[in-house]
Amino acid sequence: FLVMPRLSGANLSQIMATSTPQPLPVILWTVRQAAQALASLHQASWLHGDVKPENLFMSEQGHLTLLDLGFASQQGSPKPSAFTGTPRYAAPELLDDTVTSI
């Protein structure tokens, strides 16, 4: 079984498209939560692989959840033979043929 919480809210792409600009403290709190989520993954030796606004989900209470670990990989694992992720949001080094591992 796979058990996950039911999330209510919207992803950051939806929020940016439909709402008025957020105050700076809210933006900073959102960025901090995303950085903390990614830091937790990295501490566990994992890379997300597809960080983009659609994969950052904000609850109605302001809690950010990092979604979609479908392209996640362990640090130091061989680089996939084909590009994975969303090119628009990819780190430049992922598109460089000279990089042999993530």
Side-chain angles (χ1 to χ4, degrees):
F1 293 95
L2 177 62
V3 179
M4 298 182 298
R6 180 171 173 83
L7 301 174
S8 61
N11 68 45
L12 289 189
S13 182
Q14 293 167 325
I15 292 170
M16 290 185 300
T18 60
S19 68
T20 59
Q22 299 294 311
L24 183 59
V26 172
I27 294 169
L28 293 175
W29 176 241
T30 301
V31 170
R32 179 179 178 170
Q33 290 183 81
Q36 288 175 326
L38 291 169
S40 292
L41 273 177
H42 291 185
Q43 283 181 334
S45 298
W46 284 90
L47 300 172
H48 185 277
D50 197 23
V51 179
K52 58 185 177 181
E54 291 84 357
N55 290 338
L56 296 167
F57 192 87
M58 182 68 70
S59 75
E60 295 160 353
Q61 294 77 29
H63 175 79
L64 187 86
T65 302
L66 180 62
L67 303 175
D68 192 2
L69 297 171
F71 292 127
S73 62
Q74 286 197 295
Q75 292 178 7
S77 63
K79 184 178 178 181
S81 58
F83 174 79
T84 58
T86 306
R88 181 176 179 187
Y89 296 102
E93 61 270 19
L94 294 178
L95 303 173
D96 185 355
D97 289 338
T98 62
V99 178
T100 57
S101 67
I102 297 175

